[in-house]
Amino acid sequence: MAIAIVDYGMGNLHSVSKAVERLGYEGIVTGDAAEILGADGVLLPGVGAFGDAMAHLRGTGLDAVVRQAAAGGTPLLGICLGMQLLFGESEEHGRNEGLGILPGRAVRFAGGEYKVPHMGWNRLSFLQPDNPLLAGLEEGHVYFVHSYHVEPQAKSDLIAVTDYGHPVTAIVGRDNVYGMQFHPEKSGELGMALLRNFLALAEAKGSA
C-alpha cells in the first residue's frame, strides 16, 4: 500500500514520511499528480503561512489534484496547516481562499492571558468516540504549534477538541477527509496511534 505525502514546497515532509515508515507503510513524498491520485491514502502536511501554502498549491496545480483525490473517495489527512487548508478560507494576513473541501474558516487566537502561538502539549477531548479514527484510543495529550484555529461551519465535522481558553478544533472529519491541527508524528504514542488508525482506514479502502 502506498501513501502519498503531498510535496508542494511547504511541509514537514521528512518527519511525516519517517512516521509512516515506522508504522510499516510506504510513504511517497511527491508532487506528481498521477502518484497522488493512484495512492491508497494522501497526507497533506504544512508549515508556514496559509496564503503562501495556497499559492504554492495553485502554482503547481496540486490544489485541483488534492480536491480530486478527496472527491474520488481516497482517504485524505491534513496535518497542522494542512488541516486548515482543507477549509474554505483563512484570515491570516488578510482573507485567503482555501481548498474548500470542508466548510469553515481559520481565525487567529485572540490572545489575552493565553500566549500566541499556542505551543505545547494539550489534552484531546473526544466528541465522536465511535469514529473509526479514534478506534481503541483514550483521550490524552498531543503537541500543538499554531497561531490560527479552525471554526468548522458544521459541528458534525468536529471529532476532537482541546482547550486553550475556549474549545479549539483539534481533529475534524467528514467521510474520507480528516484533519489534525496538531503534529501526530511529534505527539508520542497517542499521535502515532491516530496516524496508524488513519493509515488502517486507507488500507481498508484500498483493499475494498
Side-chain angles (χ1 to χ4, degrees):
M1 187 186 74
I3 300 296
I5 303 167
V6 182
D7 181 6
Y8 59 100
M10 292 181 67
N12 45 330
L13 303 175
H14 180 74
S15 61
V16 172
S17 63
K18 286 299 181 185
V20 170
E21 289 177 11
R22 284 201 304 274
L23 292 170
Y25 295 89
E26 181 185 7
I28 303 170
V29 176
T30 180
D32 181 79
E35 284 189 320
I36 295 168
L37 294 174
D40 298 291
V42 177
L43 299 179
L44 180 66
V47 293
F50 188 103
D52 291 343
M54 283 304 305
H56 280 278
L57 284 168
R58 284 191 292 266
T60 56
L62 290 174
D63 58 333
V65 174
V66 173
R67 289 190 188 101
Q68 185 178 344
T74 301
L76 167 66
L77 173 65
I79 296 174
C80 196
L81 175 61
M83 184 190 92
Q84 296 181 13
L85 297 173
L86 298 176
F87 286 84
E89 64 178 41
S90 172
E91 66 175 26
E92 185 175 0
H93 303 144
R95 181 186 178 279
N96 288 283
E97 186 176 337
L99 292 169
I101 297 170
L102 296 174
R105 63 197 300 260
V107 300
R108 185 172 172 82
F109 281 109
E113 62 180 297
Y114 293 90
K115 293 181 179 179
V116 179
H118 170 211
M119 183 182 300
W121 294 83
N122 273 69
R123 185 177 178 84
L124 294 179
S125 295
F126 295 166
L127 302 183
Q128 297 184 33
D130 294 331
N131 190 287
L133 195 66
L134 306 181
L137 306 184
E138 296 183 359
E139 296 177 349
H141 289 74
V142 292
Y143 188 75
F144 292 84
V145 183
H146 60 128
S147 298
Y148 291 78
H149 64 98
V150 167
E151 295 180 341
Q153 196 176 98
K155 298 305 181 187
S156 58
D157 291 339
L158 279 171
I159 294 176
V161 297
T162 192
D163 183 81
Y164 197 62
H166 57 80
V168 173
T169 301
I171 304 177
V172 296
R174 179 187 292 194
D175 300 326
N176 57 302
V177 177
Y178 294 92
M180 300 178 190
Q181 179 61 70
F182 51 91
H183 291 273
E185 78 282 4
K186 298 178 181 178
S187 294
E189 291 184 12
L190 178 55
M192 290 296 284
L194 284 161
L195 186 57
R196 181 187 298 112
N197 278 356
F198 171 78
L199 295 173
L201 290 173
E203 185 172 23
K205 179 75 174 178
S207 60

